[in-house]
Amino acid sequence: MPHAATSVNRGSFTDSFHYDANGNMDCRTESGVTYVQTYSADNRIASIQKLESGTCTVPGPLTAKWDFTYDGDGTRTGQSYTEYTDGVPGTAEITRYYFGGAYE
């Protein structure tokens, strides 16, 4: 992506950003924390994994994960958030989105 930022120098550390062939940010490291992001065939964010350790190319265990669902029109209908302890997932917290922007 010729106009997308690939790094930002913040003085004591540098944030970095990587993009897939469609221009979606598939990995980012901010303040020393790495996030791996996946996308659906429709280029909508499908999941974000927060790494405990590792890199974009060699991910390690997770500390958290977000998963997203969409309806046929591409409107986000749900999100789950799962915390990990020592690489073991906890109970997911699920948020459902309904018509008109209301959520539960």
Side-chain angles (χ1 to χ4, degrees):
M1 306 286 39
H3 301 291
T6 58
S7 66
V8 175
N9 185 334
R10 299 201 182 264
S12 60
F13 53 88
T14 300
D15 294 344
S16 63
F17 312 96
H18 184 269
Y19 304 88
D20 66 17
N22 290 331
N24 299 313
M25 185 182 298
D26 58 5
C27 192
R28 60 190 163 97
T29 301
E30 297 177 340
S31 302
V33 178
T34 300
Y35 300 86
V36 176
Q37 304 172 174
T38 60
Y39 294 83
S40 69
D42 296 325
N43 290 312
R44 291 182 178 84
I45 189 86
S47 71
I48 302 171
Q49 300 174 340
K50 181 179 179 182
L51 303 183
E52 179 180 330
S53 63
T55 64
C56 294
T57 53
V58 183
L62 306 181
T63 61
K65 183 178 182 194
W66 295 261
D67 291 295
F68 305 96
T69 56
Y70 301 87
D71 66 13
D73 293 325
T75 302
R76 186 179 296 174
T77 57
Q79 169 187 302
S80 69
Y81 170 75
T82 307
E83 286 190 38
Y84 285 68
T85 303
D86 297 325
V88 178
T91 302
E93 296 176 22
I94 297 174
T95 302
R96 297 277 182 217
Y97 300 96
Y98 298 99
F99 296 103
Y103 66 94
E104 181 179 289

